[in-house]
Amino acid sequence: MTTDLSTDCRRRCTGETHQALQVLRQAGKDGCAIPVARHPDQAALEAAVFLGACKMGGLSPHPLGILKVRPEPERLTIRLLDEPYVVRYWAERLLPIQAAVAGEDDDPRDCVFGVAGLRSRVGAGGVTLYRPGTGAQVLLTGFNTRWWQRVSALLATSGPVLFTGSTWTPVERAAHHAYQATDRGEASVVSAILRRIRATAGPGEINSTDVWSTGQEGLRLETTDGPPCPELLRLLCEGPWGLGWQAEHTWCTCGSAAPQGCRIDFRLPGGRRVDYSNLHWGRTNDERRQTTVAELNSLAFAG
């Protein structure tokens, strides 16, 4: 039987409500374990979305502007912060734009800015991100969908070609194949982290989370103001909500009066690595940051 602690840990990882998990349990589903993306296309889409949006930095308590996620085997729903600057950033970073015309010696990945093959459609439930020819989808909710339409229209008329067709363009397909050729199982790991993104948020006023590939070694996961290390270890390593990671080396300063940064080297099932750092910047939602958010919101729909 699912324990209250287990349900609490899933909620800490995803931001889901107790009521939502109770509905799952009443339907005979697991309200404790966090489902993985069932199909490689779904994991690849989620990883591309995460890697595209994670350079956002920190202006709120919500990493990448994500309030909560709802992970399902065939779909991931992401509830974003209801701020125009968040929607502008996500659209700018994700919608595919032709960055350059490919030459013979060019890496095709340099020719597409954003997520190759990504398309979006607006519906009553939010904005669905998908790739033509696949069943993969990420649903963005929590904001006025007209904001997304306004930013999309702005990008479509700002100069570079915005790919909006019902099929992949050759340059997008080439870029996607180039990414696939260098993927060493990273997509499934990045997808799994995104499905637990709230686990990387600390108790402070500002949070940001970043992830990137380190090549053959694995992935780098970094928070600027993450949770205490024991909590992160419990959420990522233990129980049915976790990932089965093992902490091989830990350098923790969480308990000190002035934390200098923490590091955990994780070994994943199958031998891959994720090197984690918490920088402990201790940022606050000060007047300067509030002014920055106001300015970004006022410019969200400007050319």
Side-chain angles (χ1 to χ4, degrees):
M1 186 177 196
T2 304
T3 65
D4 290 339
L5 175 61
S6 297
T7 303
D8 179 69
C9 286
R10 171 165 169 166
R11 288 190 285 119
R12 176 66 179 86
C13 289
T14 65
E16 293 169 288
T17 64
H18 173 72
Q19 290 80 4
L21 295 182
Q22 284 296 100
V23 170
L24 284 180
R25 296 173 66 180
Q26 291 167 4
K29 300 179 181 180
D30 195 337
C32 168
I34 297 174
V36 300
R38 181 171 294 165
H39 195 279
D41 285 341
Q42 180 67 34
L45 176 60
E46 293 176 17
V49 167
F50 190 6
L51 292 170
C54 67
K55 307 300 181 185
M56 186 174 185
L59 291 171
S60 79
H62 312 291
L64 286 69
I66 298 176
L67 292 169
K68 64 180 178 180
V69 297
R70 182 184 179 186
E72 300 172 270
E74 310 294 345
R75 182 175 73 170
L76 178 66
T77 300
I78 299 175
R79 186 174 186 86
L80 293 178
L81 187 64
D82 188 21
E83 295 272 12
Y85 83 90
V86 175
V87 177
R88 172 69 184 255
Y89 179 85
W90 274 66
E92 280 190 321
R93 294 291 301 184
L94 299 182
L95 293 177
I97 294 173
Q98 183 159 350
V101 177
E104 292 184 1
D105 299 327
D106 291 332
D107 188 323
R109 291 171 293 185
D110 294 333
C111 300
V112 178
F113 182 83
V115 177
L118 186 75
R119 302 293 186 266
S120 67
R121 59 174 176 263
V122 174
V127 176
T128 299
L129 307 179
Y130 67 99
R131 278 171 161 157
T134 76
Q137 56 180 309
V138 172
L139 177 64
L140 305 181
T141 68
F143 57 91
N144 189 330
T145 56
R146 289 195 296 271
W147 295 351
W148 185 273
Q149 293 172 313
R150 291 178 66 181
V151 176
S152 299
L154 179 65
L155 296 176
T157 58
S158 62
V161 175
L162 175 66
F163 299 119
T164 59
S166 59
T167 60
W168 296 64
T169 62
V171 67
E172 289 179 287
R173 183 68 71 183
H176 182 56
H177 286 166
Y179 279 114
Q180 287 181 314
T182 58
D183 182 3
R184 293 169 291 273
E186 293 174 355
S188 61
V189 178
V190 176
S191 165
I193 298 173
L194 179 57
R195 287 171 172 246
R196 296 163 174 79
I197 187 65
R198 296 301 311 181
T200 68
E205 298 177 2
I206 301 295
N207 281 284
S208 60
T209 300
D210 196 359
V211 64
W212 64 92
S213 173
T214 58
Q216 295 290 341
E217 296 180 359
L219 291 167
R220 184 81 172 167
L221 176 64
E222 182 178 275
T223 60
T224 55
D225 300 272
C229 289
E231 179 179 352
L232 185 74
L233 288 169
R234 184 178 77 253
L235 295 175
L236 295 186
C237 300
E238 300 176 9
W241 58 83
L243 291 163
W245 294 2
Q246 292 184 342
E248 288 196 329
H249 305 287
T250 302
W251 189 72
C252 177
T253 65
C254 289
S256 64
Q260 298 300 306
C262 300
R263 175 164 180 167
I264 305 173
D265 297 334
F266 290 106
R267 179 69 65 179
L268 281 57
R272 293 193 59 78
R273 288 178 52 189
V274 172
D275 297 327
Y276 167 76
S277 293
N278 181 1
L279 304 180
H280 288 295
W281 282 2
R283 297 172 300 174
T284 60
N285 188 23
D286 54 24
E287 184 177 350
R288 179 180 178 183
R289 203 169 304 276
Q290 294 170 20
T291 300
T292 298
V293 169
E295 291 175 348
L296 290 173
N297 280 335
S298 68
L299 296 171
F301 309 118

